[in-house]
Amino acid sequence: MRDYTREIDFYCRRLFPITRSITGDGNRESLKILQEIVPIDILEYPSGLQIYDWTIPDEWNIRDAWVKNSRGTTLIDFQKNNLHLVSYSTPLHKTVIYEELLGHLHYLEEMPEAIPYRTSYYEKNWGFCLSYRDFLKYFEKGESYEVFIDSDLGPGSLTIGELLIPGLSPKEYLISTYICHPSMANDNVSGMVLTAFLARELLSRSPLNYSYRVLFVPETIGSIAYCAMNTEAMRTVRAGLVISTVGGPGGFGYKQSFDPGHYINHLIEQAFFERGIGFVTYPFDIHGSDERQYSSQGFRINAATITKDKYYEYPYYHTSLDDLDFLRPENINEALTVYRRLCNKLERNLTYKNLRPDCEVMLSRHGLYPKTGGGILPAKNSPSEVDAMLWLLFYCDGKMSLFEISQQTGISLETLYETAIRLEEKSILQRI
Ligand code: ZN
């Protein structure tokens, strides 16, 4: 298996410093970098567009922001860390007293070194984030402060990256990640990079059995906008993956899709077992990422997420400590091997129809049976290729998938797939 660690590291380092939000030039710049990996199409949906219950907001761009004390010393500087500014802060330049400023400062007493990540997308507001240590050091009652935010908030558009990878079947799998977080490495530079590498790999495998719809969206508003603008296509997606937080030092895990019995969950577990990786199972929850939109009643896409140091779970989550020291590119590479194995399984989960359903097929007539009869007894534990053929011919009715046949018979999906290909070549099975 190729090791992409160095290449992954190169892209993580370039993407990490960019100021991203739900809209803005940082998202375009990030997608442009990802276009070096895969040919992503860039879609722009205009501000004000009604998308179901939501409206695409004005576009936000930021040039500079700082807070100075009365002696002109800069206490908080956006140029040093883009997490210092609450995302979507409105433009501002004024002097405020301590008491007023306090309502606009965010820090974490329980993690005094960390700058928290905060946003105010839909409520016009402004704010700064800083470590509790700096707050205690620099701010005091009775002082006044000069606040400067050089941002634009006005009509523009929301930017989405889309890549459609056609396969032999028009039936699609969705692969989606989010691009709206500024400088945090595991959440979600890791997901953006892994998604691009996975897409590149799928693109290189031709022909694929299934088609893939790969999306790079601002979380929530982006997936809602995409669903609204591509309703018919999204309603027919078979299943999906939402890629997030895949590069931390902690353990692997996966968030199940809403139907725990769905094959995508079983196939993820198989992929972990086969690679000898321990994992935590997180049952579906209504909180999370864009699976909330994709799994909503109108779409009901079973979308799962494989993680390494899952969002919500690691202590540095949504803080400045989720940085390039916390993220390990080799972890992303390892997560990529699990996703790759999963995609191999999705590719093999085909559905066939037996073209000779009336009584048994005479396998020897098609060169599919050992020449001498009598010597073959049904194997108790390890099924032979003849067993796999007989079970396929028994179950392939044009409805039952190879995964379901695998569940019924205990024969691996991989064996069933290889055997089905042989029967397809003999025109005994037909792919649906
Ligand atoms: Zn997040």
Side-chain angles (χ1 to χ4, degrees):
M1 209 78 82
R2 251 196 85 177
D3 184 349
Y4 296 108
T5 302
R6 282 188 60 179
E7 219 183 326
I8 286 170
D9 187 44
F10 171 72
Y11 284 106
C12 288
R13 284 178 190 286
R14 288 172 64 197
L15 287 164
F16 179 77
I18 299 170
T19 303
R20 286 168 290 267
S21 183
I22 53 171
T23 63
D25 286 334
N27 295 13
R28 297 186 187 98
E29 189 185 341
S30 301
L31 289 173
K32 228 171 160 183
I33 291 173
L34 294 169
Q35 278 178 327
E36 295 171 21
I37 307 169
V38 273
I40 301 164
D41 287 325
I42 294 181
L43 315 176
E44 299 279 355
Y45 296 144
S47 305
L49 188 70
Q50 194 69 30
I51 41 165
Y52 302 132
D53 206 32
W54 298 62
T55 307
I56 294 191
D58 280 344
E59 182 176 326
W60 183 72
N61 283 294
I62 173 75
R63 282 172 295 274
D64 199 9
W66 44 254
V67 178
K68 289 180 181 174
N69 64 16
S70 54
R71 294 173 297 284
T73 309
T74 304
L75 306 177
I76 306 177
D77 186 357
F78 169 81
Q79 302 299 344
K80 287 202 175 136
N81 192 319
N82 58 30
L83 293 175
H84 275 314
L85 186 68
V86 171
S87 188
Y88 260 68
S89 283
T90 46
L92 185 77
H93 192 184
K94 69 171 179 177
T95 299
V96 295
I97 56 166
Y98 174 85
E99 283 71 19
E100 187 187 347
L101 182 62
L102 201 57
H104 295 274
L105 293 184
H106 305 268
Y107 47 80
L108 298 168
E109 284 184 47
E110 64 279 17
M111 214 187 289
E113 304 292 309
I115 306 165
Y117 164 53
R118 295 287 180 268
T119 66
S120 187
Y121 302 137
Y122 302 105
E123 169 125 346
K124 282 204 169 136
N125 203 344
W126 61 272
F128 284 86
C129 305
L130 72 168
S131 70
Y132 187 53
R133 187 197 55 193
D134 283 356
F135 171 70
L136 294 177
K137 200 160 132 191
Y138 296 128
F139 293 88
E140 53 193 307
K141 260 190 178 155
E143 260 283 2
S144 60
Y145 299 91
E146 187 183 355
V147 178
F148 178 63
I149 301 170
D150 185 12
S151 64
D152 287 330
L153 185 58
S157 59
L158 174 140
T159 312
I160 284 175
E162 178 198 57
L163 175 66
L164 303 176
I165 308 177
L168 294 173
S169 164
K171 286 184 177 169
E172 286 182 355
Y173 285 104
L174 173 70
I175 300 176
S176 177
T177 194
Y178 53 93
I179 58 165
C180 51
H181 287 40
S183 296
M184 285 169 289
N186 195 35
D187 184 23
N188 190 32
V189 167
S190 72
M192 292 160 61
V193 172
L194 186 143
T195 303
F197 275 75
L198 184 62
R200 183 174 75 177
E201 185 137 333
L202 289 168
L203 261 181
S204 73
R205 287 191 218 166
S206 181
L208 288 159
N209 288 329
Y210 289 105
S211 300
Y212 293 80
R213 185 174 292 264
V214 186
L215 302 180
F216 298 82
V217 293
E219 206 171 21
T220 308
I221 190 76
S223 51
I224 293 171
Y226 191 85
C227 285
M229 303 303 284
N230 299 274
T231 308
E232 286 320 304
M234 291 296 280
R235 286 210 210 285
T236 61
V237 167
R238 272 173 76 90
L241 295 165
V242 171
I243 299 186
S244 158
T245 51
V246 283
F252 270 105
Y254 89 102
K255 180 184 173 184
Q256 293 184 319
S257 72
F258 65 85
D259 171 8
H262 191 272
Y263 63 83
I264 197 150
N265 300 312
H266 288 276
L267 294 180
I268 288 172
E269 294 197 4
Q270 283 182 17
F272 278 133
F273 282 129
E274 287 166 14
R275 289 202 52 82
I277 294 173
F279 60 92
V280 178
T281 304
Y282 301 96
F284 181 77
D285 183 75
I286 208 61
H287 301 285
S289 185
D290 290 316
E291 70 279 7
R292 299 183 343 252
Q293 316 311 327
Y294 304 139
S295 307
S296 66
Q297 284 190 27
F299 298 96
R300 282 292 191 251
I301 299 169
N302 267 280
T305 298
I306 297 170
T307 57
K308 192 165 188 314
D309 257 326
K310 184 181 174 292
Y311 57 87
Y312 300 157
E313 304 283 325
Y314 59 100
Y316 296 168
Y317 171 69
H318 278 188
T319 74
S320 57
L321 300 180
D322 181 356
D323 60 13
L324 291 173
D325 291 328
F326 179 72
L327 178 83
R328 302 301 327 152
E330 56 269 30
N331 293 341
I332 300 178
N333 187 69
E334 198 182 355
L336 179 63
T337 63
V338 181
Y339 269 112
R340 180 195 291 133
R341 189 170 280 258
L342 171 64
C343 288
N344 288 342
K345 289 176 181 292
L346 295 176
E347 279 288 291
R348 286 170 184 154
N349 185 21
L350 299 173
T351 303
Y352 282 95
K353 187 180 170 185
N354 182 352
L355 296 174
R356 297 161 196 265
D358 299 324
C359 296
E360 282 188 333
V361 170
M362 190 180 182
L363 293 176
S364 58
R365 200 162 82 82
H366 304 277
L368 293 168
Y369 200 78
K371 294 271 187 299
T372 316
I376 295 180
L377 298 174
K380 293 240 159 57
N381 295 320
S382 55
S384 66
E385 201 188 2
V386 171
D387 291 328
M389 278 190 256
L390 293 173
W391 281 120
L392 283 169
L393 293 169
F394 183 77
Y395 279 124
C396 286
D397 56 358
K399 293 189 194 82
M400 207 164 162
S401 70
L402 294 188
F403 168 76
E404 288 166 318
I405 297 172
S406 168
Q407 292 291 94
Q408 282 291 325
T409 61
I411 302 172
S412 76
L413 178 63
E414 285 69 19
T415 301
L416 289 174
Y417 176 74
E418 299 301 332
T419 311
I421 296 283
R422 280 193 74 193
L423 292 169
E424 190 180 12
E425 282 163 7
K426 302 280 182 186
S427 304
I428 295 169
L429 288 187
Q430 184 185 51
R431 203 178 283 202
I432 299 299

